[in-house]
Amino acid sequence: MATEAKRLKVEAGSELLQDFLRWCDSVGLLLSDKVYVSVSREETVADYGMVAKDNIAEGEVLFTIPRSALLHQETAKVSTLLKKEKSSLESSSGWVPLLLALLCEYTSSQSQWKPYLSLWSDFEKLDHPMFWPKEERDSQLKGTGIPEAVDTDLFNIRQEYTDIVLPFMIRHPDVWNPDTHTLELYTQLVAFVMAYSFQEPKEEDDEEEKTSSPPMMVPMADMLNHVSNHNANLEFTPDSLKMVSVRHINKGEEVFNTYGQMANWQLLHMYGFTESYLSNNNDTADIPVFCLYKAAQQDAQSDSDGELVEGRWEVLRQMVKDNGAFVFSKHGCLTDSELHTALKVLCMSKEELSEFKDNEGWEEEYEDDDEISQAFSIEGLPKLKASWKRLIHEAARLTLRSYGDGEMEETLVNGDRVLAEDKAALERLSSRQRRALQVRLGQKLILYRLVEHTKS
């Protein structure tokens, strides 16, 4: 029965795909003869994928998308209205105009992009953690930071819809209907934009601007799946967007784009999938600033030491956010300058703390960024000052324990590692459980390696 349902789903997907490819021809989207699009395998972000049907050399254009085929707030049929009322649609996400455009186009049988949007007829493939039951999300992803990020997302989405989108739709009943354009659909479209949209890179002259380019939907480009070791990349030109091979691609090989340097927790949170923890070289784990503070508290040997720790913490809180974190990869600390500053503050003597307060900071001294980066690399960590090393060690242990319920760090790591290496056990897991495992284990291994490299 399950096999029959899967077959029917593939057949339906193939019909929708053919409609989409005919639409591509009609809008001037040029697809190379060396590639083809097909219904994709399981465990990917897209329902579809692109495969090479001939050998492809580096630098070849795989497809070209005219800018007129892109879907965003300036090309949608409600573009004039959205532009006119732009000031009333401002939000922290900056996505409201695009989402209103998508609400309109997605539910319109006359939409210019109907064959494209029909590829996601019910968003059933979207399986971001925001769609998991809260209990499952909290248990499977405990310690990873994803449950907290999702809670924030859902709160912001609801607030944005209630405070901005709903009043706007009520003012324009001829275009939007709250009974059709519901919070549920709005949330699904947020996930759709998270997983499939692209942002145009800023020009060099615009890099200092704080606002980023608004997201846009790019038909065909969003059908490519992601791996960190990708073989194609999207290039932006004034008239079109082009997918270009960045290395030789063999006949029969899947064409992969990149969504950037993404850790597995980011891939799952934003796109609903993960890479293997073994192959994702961009994987990271966070150590909360608060864990470094707790480690310093544990290091205090007396009441006077405890008071000194509190004094240092008060200083550090003015320099970093309480909910901030230090980011570690497989190769060391990626936020090395911030960690360097935090360790300097949390290890100040009483005299140094007093002098720091009197002078409202440190006297200016030259610090070599390359030396700091090397000091906090995985190779440099064992050579750090004993006091700094001890704080990182204990903070990493505290962070590791947040994944479990009182187990020792080694037990927390080995339990998931054994599971990940047992093919039969993996087969018995749901797709959500497998993805959560990749996130947890990748992070735990980074933290455990950190613990090992900072032992006294």
Side-chain angles (χ1 to χ4, degrees):
M1 199 72 176
T3 304
E4 176 66 10
K6 187 173 180 180
R7 183 185 67 79
L8 291 172
K9 182 179 176 182
V10 169
E11 288 178 358
S14 298
E15 290 174 12
L16 292 171
L17 180 58
Q18 292 309 310
D19 288 344
F20 169 69
L21 292 174
R22 284 190 286 270
W23 176 83
C24 288
D25 286 340
S26 72
V27 298
L29 192 156
L30 303 177
L31 185 65
S32 166
D33 292 337
K34 291 188 175 183
V35 295
Y36 67 93
V37 183
S38 65
V39 178
S40 184
R41 66 193 191 285
E42 298 294 320
E43 299 292 323
T44 57
V45 64
D47 279 329
Y48 306 91
M50 181 170 286
V51 180
K53 59 181 177 182
D54 200 351
N55 290 333
I56 297 170
E58 179 181 343
E60 288 196 47
V61 177
L62 307 181
F63 55 85
T64 302
I65 312 151
R67 284 191 176 264
S68 57
L70 306 180
L71 173 52
H72 51 83
Q73 58 260 40
E74 293 180 11
T75 57
K77 64 182 178 183
V78 290
S79 59
T80 303
L81 176 59
L82 294 175
K83 188 174 183 179
K84 180 182 176 184
E85 301 209 22
K86 182 180 177 181
S87 61
S88 68
L89 302 177
E90 292 178 357
S91 68
S92 57
S93 74
W95 291 9
V96 170
L98 173 61
L99 289 163
L100 280 165
L102 285 173
L103 283 171
C104 183
E105 298 289 348
Y106 186 75
T107 55
S108 170
S109 59
Q110 304 303 312
S111 172
Q112 175 188 336
W113 289 272
K114 182 173 172 54
Y116 162 61
L117 294 172
S118 292
L119 294 172
W120 294 275
S121 55
D122 57 6
F123 292 123
E124 67 171 19
K125 182 70 175 180
L126 295 175
D127 198 29
H128 297 59
M130 69 166 65
F131 300 120
W132 301 10
K134 181 172 173 57
E135 185 178 337
E136 181 180 16
R137 184 169 66 235
D138 290 349
S139 63
Q140 289 294 322
L141 298 168
K142 183 179 180 181
T144 64
I146 295 177
E148 295 80 5
V150 169
D151 288 344
T152 299
D153 288 344
L154 293 175
F155 175 83
N156 290 339
I157 290 168
R158 179 178 290 276
Q159 187 174 55
E160 187 172 86
Y161 180 85
T162 303
D163 295 350
I164 302 173
V165 175
L166 190 56
F168 182 82
M169 292 195 299
I170 291 171
R171 291 200 304 273
H172 301 284
D174 53 323
V175 181
W176 291 276
N177 180 353
D179 292 335
T180 302
H181 304 118
T182 60
L183 174 60
E184 180 183 9
L185 178 57
Y186 189 79
T187 303
Q188 290 173 333
L189 286 170
V190 168
F192 180 56
V193 172
M194 287 172 73
Y196 294 103
S197 69
F198 291 80
Q199 283 183 291
E200 186 154 8
K202 286 278 188 184
E203 296 289 336
E204 285 186 18
D205 296 340
D206 300 331
E207 282 184 356
E208 292 184 4
E209 290 185 20
K210 291 183 179 179
T211 55
S212 57
S213 303
M216 56 185 172
M217 311 313 297
V218 184
M220 189 63 78
D222 51 16
M223 302 183 96
L224 272 64
N225 290 295
H226 159 98
V227 292
S228 52
N229 184 26
H230 61 288
N231 52 23
N233 195 46
L234 189 64
E235 296 184 0
F236 294 75
T237 72
D239 300 320
S240 63
L241 278 63
K242 299 179 180 182
M243 190 64 69
V244 181
S245 58
V246 296
R247 62 173 173 82
H248 179 84
I249 303 173
N250 292 317
K251 179 180 179 179
E253 189 179 348
E254 183 166 359
V255 179
F256 288 103
N257 186 22
T258 175
Y259 306 155
Q261 295 182 331
M262 293 281 182
N264 266 340
W265 79 265
Q266 293 170 307
L267 289 174
L268 184 56
H269 173 222
M270 295 180 66
Y271 301 95
F273 80 106
T274 61
E275 291 189 62
S276 163
Y277 73 95
L278 293 170
S279 61
N280 189 348
N281 293 320
N282 299 313
D283 220 357
T284 62
D286 290 358
I287 292 184
V289 172
F290 193 72
C291 282
L292 203 65
Y293 162 59
K294 295 299 288 183
Q297 278 186 322
Q298 291 178 10
D299 208 32
Q301 302 295 314
S302 63
D303 290 346
S304 60
D305 285 350
E307 289 175 10
L308 183 55
V309 168
E310 295 307 317
R312 296 165 179 162
W313 176 238
E314 284 305 312
V315 168
L316 186 59
R317 289 180 69 184
Q318 295 171 28
M319 304 166 77
V320 298
K321 294 178 180 178
D322 284 359
N323 63 347
F326 306 107
V327 183
F328 286 84
S329 72
K330 298 175 180 179
H331 310 293
C333 186
L334 300 179
T335 51
D336 44 57
S337 59
E338 292 86 348
L339 179 58
H340 180 251
T341 297
L343 290 168
K344 279 178 69 176
V345 171
L346 288 175
C347 292
M348 284 193 291
S349 67
K350 188 174 181 180
E351 293 73 26
E352 287 170 334
L353 179 60
S354 178
E355 186 178 338
F356 182 92
K357 289 181 176 179
D358 290 342
N359 296 332
E360 297 183 351
W362 287 294
E363 290 184 15
E364 260 190 54
E365 56 182 83
Y366 172 74
E367 291 179 331
D368 190 301
D369 289 342
D370 289 337
E371 285 184 10
I372 292 174
S373 182
Q374 179 57 37
F376 292 104
S377 68
I378 204 71
E379 297 82 13
L381 288 171
K383 304 169 191 173
L384 287 174
K385 296 177 187 177
S387 57
W388 289 20
K389 203 160 56 169
R390 190 164 59 248
L391 285 185
I392 296 172
H393 180 82
E394 290 303 324
R397 291 183 67 197
L398 285 167
T399 306
L400 256 176
R401 289 174 195 165
S402 70
Y403 291 80
D405 297 303
E407 301 96 326
M408 294 298 292
E409 301 91 58
E410 196 167 344
T411 304
L412 284 167
V413 175
N414 286 339
D416 276 347
R417 180 154 41 194
V418 169
L419 182 58
E421 292 171 356
D422 186 335
K423 289 185 178 180
L426 274 178
E427 285 295 319
R428 291 192 292 271
L429 297 180
S430 69
S431 59
R432 288 177 179 177
Q433 289 172 326
R434 285 194 294 272
R435 294 195 293 269
L437 175 63
Q438 297 297 334
V439 175
R440 288 195 315 266
L441 183 53
Q443 291 185 348
K444 287 178 183 180
L445 287 171
I446 289 171
L447 291 168
Y448 190 68
R449 193 177 184 200
L450 196 53
V451 168
E452 292 294 297
H453 278 71
T454 52
K455 279 183 176 176
S456 299

